[in-house]
Amino acid sequence: MALALTLAVLAWPVPGQASGVEKSELSFDSSDGRVTMTRFAPPPPPPPAPEPDESKAAAEAPRAQKSTASRFPGDAKQPAPKRPPPPPPLLPAVVVLHGQQGLDPLRAQYETYAEWLVGRGFQVYLLDYYSRPDAQAMALDDPQIRRERYDQRLAGWTQRVREALTVLSKRQDVDPRRIALLGFSQGGFLAVNVAAQDPRAAALVCLYGGLPAPVRGSARKLPPTLIVHGQADTIVPVAEARTLQVFITRSGGEAVLDLYPGQGHGFALSLNQPEAKAGFDKTVRFLDSRLRKR
């Protein structure tokens, strides 16, 4: 698999946080076509202080001290070897999967959510799992076309995400034991489908998603899962969240159901609202407890 990286480093304050965020673009060629990700992470630590220049110090020493120096070259003090730069910190990684509308229509909200996660000590990979034809089909007004596209492409999208996990697992700054999937709406269904097939997902957060058809009726055990859902959701009814919880617990897994009365579909991206903030805080506590102890 060929991996091509395009870096564009930006820094700006995270809401409510003092530190900045480093943003970079990554892309790779998967078996299902080109895939792009945006990485959000804390800025790298400053480089170590330079070693003192001993030759310069010796040149500035008094002449009287120079006369006492050894005349034998072998007695000269050798410069200390340069210390290698410290390895990048291994932060827990969260792979974020967008909803049916695609990444671009709500990119600002997704990026804000990613920035907030960085402010809590995670690195985040915002994954665009659509191909160009996917984005065009899913932008149509016809719900039947969108549904057919979803059924046709779920396996391909799953493969794209799994290959992204392979790419991330090979990065020096990613601990392959501490990667979580976090999906919104359709991305929540996709995250469940991926986690059911790939044990590298150490934790799962499903925001107003549910149990995809390929996983129903199987005995696959999912990783620890947080299910965030609004009780007034008319797009993905709250019954979907309860079905997912029952499936996970009956399979011997751990599922935490976090319901929000009066909240509809998509509420979790409005981080200026108290319910969305509460859901975000619950998500962070869940990810902390499942990823940092590994």
Side-chain angles (χ1 to χ4, degrees):
M1 181 189 305
L3 172 62
L5 300 182
T6 305
L7 301 181
V9 179
L10 306 174
W12 59 90
V14 179
Q17 304 292 336
S19 60
V21 175
E22 181 185 77
K23 178 182 176 182
S24 55
E25 301 295 327
L26 298 81
S27 62
F28 66 93
D29 293 318
S30 76
S31 59
D32 190 65
R34 193 77 169 167
V35 179
T36 61
M37 295 184 285
T38 305
R39 177 180 183 262
F40 299 82
E51 299 286 345
D53 191 338
E54 296 184 0
S55 61
K56 182 178 180 180
E60 295 174 352
R63 294 182 179 274
Q65 293 183 7
K66 285 187 177 181
S67 63
T68 63
S70 171
R71 296 177 181 270
F72 298 97
D75 293 341
K77 185 177 181 181
Q78 298 298 318
K82 292 185 177 180
R83 291 176 295 179
L90 290 178
L91 297 175
V94 181
V95 178
V96 175
L97 305 177
H98 59 75
Q100 185 183 84
Q101 291 177 298
L103 180 57
D104 286 339
L106 296 175
R107 180 180 288 274
Q109 292 93 320
Y110 288 127
E111 292 197 352
T112 297
Y113 199 97
E115 294 165 17
W116 280 41
L117 285 173
V118 171
R120 297 296 189 91
F122 299 94
Q123 57 177 315
V124 181
Y125 294 83
L126 181 55
L127 174 61
D128 187 355
Y129 58 85
Y130 277 173
S131 65
R132 181 173 296 179
D134 290 334
Q136 293 171 345
M138 301 306 271
L140 297 176
D141 292 333
D142 191 332
Q144 182 63 28
I145 293 178
R146 296 199 303 268
R147 181 67 202 186
E148 290 175 357
R149 188 73 182 184
Y150 169 84
D151 292 337
Q152 294 168 359
R153 292 289 293 143
L154 180 60
W157 297 337
T158 299
Q159 185 62 27
R160 283 172 165 246
V161 178
R162 295 190 66 185
E163 292 187 28
L165 294 180
T166 298
V167 170
L168 297 182
S169 297
K170 295 178 180 179
R171 287 180 60 92
Q172 292 185 344
D173 55 0
V174 172
D175 185 344
R177 303 169 303 167
R178 298 193 295 162
I179 300 177
L181 297 175
L182 185 152
F184 294 88
S185 190
Q186 178 181 275
F189 284 90
L190 176 58
V192 173
N193 204 53
V194 173
Q197 301 179 36
D198 201 316
R200 291 175 295 183
L204 172 62
V205 180
C206 181
L207 296 107
Y208 30 89
L211 187 64
V215 183
R216 294 176 185 267
S218 70
R220 297 168 180 168
K221 183 177 179 180
L222 292 171
T225 302
L226 172 65
I227 306 165
V228 178
H229 218 102
Q231 289 185 299
D233 195 329
T234 59
I235 306 298
V236 180
V238 70
E240 291 281 356
R242 300 187 190 278
T243 298
L244 177 59
Q245 181 192 33
V246 170
F247 172 84
I248 294 173
T249 55
R250 285 182 177 174
S251 302
E254 174 194 357
V256 178
L257 183 59
D258 189 27
L259 300 180
Y260 290 83
Q263 295 304 302
H265 199 71
F267 79 95
L269 285 174
S270 301
L271 290 173
N272 59 334
Q273 299 298 317
E275 294 83 4
K277 181 64 166 57
F280 176 82
D281 290 340
K282 184 70 173 283
T283 296
V284 167
R285 291 194 298 271
F286 174 82
L287 292 173
D288 267 333
S289 66
R290 302 315 185 274
L291 296 183
R292 297 198 188 278
K293 67 182 180 182
R294 295 176 69 89

